Amino acid sequence: MTSTPGTLQRISLSEPFQDQKPGTSGLRKSSRRFSQPHYLESFIEAVLRTLPGVAGGTLVVGGDGRWGNRHAIDVISRMAAAHGLGRLILTTGGILSTPAASHLIRQHQAIGGIILSASHNPGGPEGDFGVKVNGANGGPAPESLTDAIHACTLQLDGYSIVSGDPLPLDAPGQHAIGSLAVAVIDGVHDYLQLMQGLFDFDLIADLLRGDWPMAFDAMHAVTGPYAHQLLEARLGAPVGTVRNGTPLEDFGGGHPDPNLTYAHDLATLLLDGDTYRFGAACDGDGDRNMILGQRCFVNPSDSLAVLTANATLAPGYADGLAGVARSMPTSSATDVVAQALNLPCFETPTGWKFFGNLLDAGRITLCGEESFGTGSHHIREKDGLWAVLFWLTILARRRLTVAEVMADHWQRFGRHYYSRHDYEGIDSTRAHGLYDGLRDRLGSLAGASFADSRIATADDFAYSDPIDGSLTKQQGLRMLLDDGSRVILRLSGTGTQGATLRVYLERYVPTGGNLNQDPQQALAGMINAIDALAGIRSGTGMDRPTVIT
């Protein structure tokens, strides 16, 4: 045990920072911006002044291992001591996935947590850094709290911090900074125990120890230590099943986003070869997942629908589901399953915090987003490794390949051909000009022809929360076609360089129709139609999307 008395210091700011408004996933800026003097400290000061229960409370802190992670943990620890926090829970190496953080917050009845991650954004000195605040329920901070944090940053004239050396994080231990008790714990153990309570590990182990090779790509990000312990040590998959399993400050120079573009090597192994039966990848902070089978890619929207249809195969969900929810841009595949199973189904804005109210109220059990995120009521974040274990459970129970599971699903429920086209790094003025121009024309689009259909309704999605009655507006431009197909446009706020325009395309083909088309071919008419309607190529200056999912 180490004990540091420290000296309380009050550091003055010449002026408050004006750019510390958190987005849906916290404050994300370039690593260089966070490295500027007092920038990180200013935001943490606002968090500690605003988060309820700091005096004498318990706080969980950790991150995905990117550049700046350990330094930020040291700063937060010494500032927490200055603000009278009672107990701080850290993890070995400072490594803590977002799902595991959510679990620790709930398990220890903490006032919340600070997660150091920019999720799937690149890391390193020239990459991005992020600070995300979670509440006492383990989920992302509500907008009321992030607004209050932002307001506080605009008024700061200084911050408080205790002097001292960085805490040792390489092994579990008990420490103190003045009156602040600091526990450094194994960040993997408790999460694995949670998973063992939801899934039949013996069943999955029987699958993995047979002639059933799989590959998991941790992308040199936070899930590496978790996957090594879970898949190889606990479930008996061969050593080497986990690839890129050591967290690196720059993610090995890669982009830790589990999609067909940035997890290209894994995709090639599964889609172009026959060596592996199953493949999966998780992102920087461990909350997203990509699922692959032998020559089969599972669209994230379909993944949520498949989990919903097969939920009772997992012990943790054997009693059935209370309901399901999806973000608005996610395809309607889950809606069709929910209707067949007589389950409530909710459509929310993008952002995991909107699922939190429904989960806390017991209205839903499963939820998910098209952006490779799925989760359940076990925590209040999406959970990448949880989704991998759920898929392994389905495959072990049904003794089918991934492709066979998907074919059977489409035969039962029809197929929602779906794709997302991302145009990244657009000049912000051009992006908003394109987007606002289309928004201004929404009221005149009803009845207009579109591809081989007509636009039934066009609007800017708004959501009235059924739990607290709050209204969230301007969440995406929707064109709903009279054959059940949809096209949606959104400007994303999760990047740090320019703007990202996301175009979501969905075409529904019922059972009995052509269920075996290439999605890009099935959607070709809609792709051309939205380009003509919105002027995407001319408005962005880009001939093709940066990423196609």
Side-chain angles (χ1 to χ4, degrees), residues 100-431:
S102 181
H103 175 53
L104 288 178
I105 292 168
R106 295 166 64 81
Q107 181 183 33
H108 292 274
Q109 298 181 321
I111 61 170
I114 298 177
I115 301 172
L116 304 167
S117 174
S119 188
H120 54 287
N121 291 12
E126 303 305 321
D128 294 336
F129 193 78
V131 179
K132 177 183 174 185
V133 180
N134 279 34
N137 74 338
E143 192 169 359
S144 58
L145 178 56
T146 56
D147 284 348
I149 292 170
H150 178 230
C152 186
T153 66
L154 297 175
Q155 302 170 18
L156 285 180
D157 60 3
Y159 60 88
S160 299
I161 189 168
V162 171
S163 63
D165 296 327
L167 293 167
L169 298 179
D170 292 334
Q174 301 295 321
H175 311 282
I177 306 175
S179 62
L180 172 63
V182 181
V184 179
I185 66 172
D186 181 336
V188 175
H189 177 267
D190 290 338
Y191 175 80
L192 265 58
Q193 292 298 108
L194 176 66
M195 293 299 102
Q196 193 162 7
L198 297 173
F199 301 105
D200 186 340
F201 276 21
D202 290 337
L203 174 75
I204 299 173
D206 182 63
L207 179 70
L208 295 183
R209 288 170 179 159
D211 183 20
W212 203 84
M214 69 164 284
F216 178 84
D217 190 349
M219 306 190 81
H220 285 304
V222 76
T223 56
Y226 295 83
H228 278 304
Q229 283 295 316
L230 177 61
L231 298 175
E232 296 176 350
R234 291 276 187 99
L235 297 176
V239 173
T241 294
V242 177
R243 297 162 176 262
N244 303 318
T246 301
L248 299 176
E249 290 190 338
D250 65 349
F251 306 115
H255 193 142
D257 195 355
N259 58 42
L260 296 176
T261 298
Y262 297 120
H264 176 74
D265 290 347
L266 179 72
T268 298
L269 287 177
L270 271 296
L271 301 182
D272 296 341
D274 297 317
T275 301
Y276 296 94
R277 303 291 181 266
F278 181 78
C282 289
D283 71 331
D285 65 329
D287 62 354
R288 301 185 187 210
N289 71 92
M290 179 174 69
I291 301 298
L292 299 164
Q294 189 174 357
R295 300 186 181 273
C296 177
F297 164 71
V298 180
N299 188 285
S301 294
D302 279 343
S303 183
L304 177 61
V306 169
L307 297 189
T308 301
N310 293 273
T312 55
L313 298 181
Y317 307 92
D319 293 336
L321 307 177
V324 293
R326 63 168 176 85
S327 65
M328 181 273 289
T330 304
S331 90
S332 305
T334 299
D335 304 43
V336 175
V337 176
Q339 184 177 24
L341 299 180
N342 197 29
L343 292 173
C345 184
F346 299 86
E347 182 182 38
T348 74
T350 296
W352 208 259
K353 62 186 178 183
F354 293 102
F355 295 139
N357 278 357
L358 296 168
L359 289 165
D360 287 344
R363 300 284 290 274
I364 62 172
T365 308
L366 300 185
C367 46
E369 298 178 333
E370 50 71 35
S371 54
F372 295 88
T374 39
S376 85
H377 61 358
H378 69 290
I379 56 172
R380 295 297 181 266
E381 290 279 6
K382 47 188 176 279
D383 192 343
L385 280 171
W386 167 90
V388 173
L389 289 173
F390 216 138
W391 265 96
L392 290 173
T393 296
I394 293 169
L395 299 172
R397 287 281 187 201
R398 298 185 63 182
R399 294 293 168 174
L400 298 175
T401 67
V402 174
E404 289 169 343
V405 169
M406 295 312 307
D408 176 72
H409 185 87
W410 294 330
Q411 286 294 336
R412 292 176 61 194
F413 301 107
R415 182 172 183 180
H416 293 254
Y417 287 101
Y418 183 87
S419 186
R420 188 181 92 186
H421 291 193
D422 292 358
Y423 297 82
E424 298 178 346
I426 310 169
D427 175 79
S428 183
T429 300
R430 296 185 69 169

